Amino acid sequence: LATFVYFDVFNKIFINEAATYTLADMISRQTQTVTPSYIQGMASLYDYLNGQTSPTAAAQTWVRVTCITYSSVSKEYSVVWSYGTNNQPALTTAMLQSTVKSLPVMSGGDTLIQVETQMHYVPKFNMGLTPRDLYQLVLTRPRIAPQVAFSSS
């Protein structure tokens, strides 16, 4: 039984990671303006890919997409736009500063898409693992357009 529980948590971690990479790839290929409803649709796909189909489980997941740029003049990373689902706040430039060391080196004016996801995992049996949040972060560059545009309407 313990082996099953440990296999299950690693399986969920893998599925969570694969789902996040899927969302990052989707948005990196976007040529049209992204809207909140598009990102809400990404969150629904994320829930589906993770098997979070019940309203209770889906309420415990979130997706946040952020467009980041780098200025070679000021030597700083800044947030162009950000949107989070399920009451997750948008990432701000001030919040971004705590994670700058994990960002890749970028050329001036270059943009980066950061996709963050989180789901709540509850082990099927009590075998030493406690419920936990599984967080995933993926960074990718826009593939077709130089920047993914966002409109809040």
Side-chain angles (χ1 to χ4, degrees):
L1 211 49
T3 303
F4 173 79
V5 171
Y6 282 96
F7 172 81
D8 186 54
V9 73
F10 282 112
N11 185 44
K12 284 294 185 188
I13 290 169
F14 169 75
I15 291 170
N16 185 37
E17 184 176 0
T20 306
Y21 272 96
T22 299
L23 300 183
D25 189 55
M26 278 176 54
I27 201 148
S28 73
R29 297 173 189 274
Q30 193 59 251
T31 57
Q32 297 179 344
T33 302
V34 173
T35 62
S37 61
Y38 181 85
I39 297 174
Q40 291 289 352
M42 288 174 61
S44 296
L45 176 62
Y46 174 73
D47 290 339
Y48 175 77
L49 292 173
N50 276 304
Q52 305 291 324
T53 53
S54 74
T56 305
Q60 296 180 23
T61 65
W62 57 262
V63 172
R64 179 166 56 195
V65 180
T66 305
C67 181
I68 300 167
T69 190
Y70 179 75
S71 169
S72 58
V73 175
S74 65
K75 306 277 191 242
E76 290 184 346
Y77 294 88
S78 61
V79 172
V80 177
W81 60 264
S82 182
Y83 184 82
T85 64
N86 279 355
N87 298 318
Q88 184 65 20
L91 191 70
T92 65
T93 298
M95 293 163 64
L96 179 67
Q97 298 314 308
S98 66
T99 61
V100 160
K101 290 183 181 181
S102 65
L103 295 176
V105 175
M106 295 170 59
S107 300
D110 214 358
T111 59
L112 187 68
I113 301 295
Q114 176 174 292
V115 178
E116 299 168 273
T117 60
Q118 184 170 294
M119 64 173 283
H120 189 69
Y121 173 76
V122 178
K124 296 192 184 331
F125 302 101
N126 185 5
M127 289 289 171
L129 286 179
T130 58
R132 63 192 66 223
D133 290 329
L134 302 178
Y135 173 82
Q136 187 66 41
L137 180 140
V138 173
L139 299 166
T140 188
R141 295 184 60 183
R143 295 178 188 250
I144 299 169
Q147 178 178 328
V148 176
F150 179 79
S151 172
S152 59
S153 56

